[in-house]
Amino acid sequence: FEYFYSDSSGDIALRNGALAAQAFPQLHARLQSAHLYADIPAGQQFDLRLSYYYERLSTSDWALDGLLPDSLPAMLSLGATSPDYAGAILSVSFRYHFAKDTDR
């Protein structure tokens, strides 16, 4: 079993120019993933691996989110939005060992 969790935030600060005194909103990102697997002997030279992988990513970027289609930043980013997804994969793998393993 493997589990990964990350929660981060970041600030943007300008040092020069007209926008230097303006505070920008924080950027946020949260990533969670879990991988569960089991190796099952299926014979003297065969193994099966059952595997389940889940990942969830949630981000918040003020420069991409909530823009109108006719605004200049939306035109420059070609309509991109902050990544926000969840996905799962279930897999079955088959392995053949060419050398005969007598310890199994």
Side-chain angles (χ1 to χ4, degrees), residues 58-72:
S58 177
T59 62
S60 174
D61 184 349
W62 61 269
L64 295 175
D65 297 333
L67 298 176
L68 298 174
D70 60 348
S71 65
L72 183 60

Side-chain angles (χ1 to χ4, degrees), residues 26-98:
Q26 276 193 328
L27 307 172
H28 295 281
R30 178 176 290 154
L31 174 66
Q32 293 177 308
S33 66
H35 185 199
L36 178 65
Y37 57 90
D39 291 328
I40 302 167
Q44 196 158 12
Q45 292 181 269
F46 303 99
D47 281 342
L48 289 176
R49 174 173 273 196
L50 301 176
S51 181
Y52 177 76
Y53 184 77
Y54 174 80
E55 182 170 290
R56 169 93 172 103
L57 175 67
S58 177
T59 62
S60 174
D61 184 349
W62 61 269
L64 295 175
D65 297 333
L67 298 176
L68 298 174
D70 60 348
S71 65
L72 183 60
M75 189 169 125
L76 294 176
S77 67
L78 300 176
T81 59
S82 295
D84 189 15
Y85 67 84
I89 297 172
L90 179 63
S91 69
V92 178
S93 304
F94 174 78
R95 297 187 300 181
Y96 176 79
H97 302 274
F98 290 102

Side-chain angles (χ1 to χ4, degrees), residues 12-14 19-26 62:
I12 296 175
L14 300 176
L19 297 176
Q22 181 179 356
F24 289 98
Q26 276 193 328
W62 61 269

Side-chain angles (χ1 to χ4, degrees), residues 44-45 97 99-104:
Q44 196 158 12
Q45 292 181 269
H97 302 274
K100 196 172 193 179
D101 189 2
T102 56
D103 294 334
R104 295 166 39 125

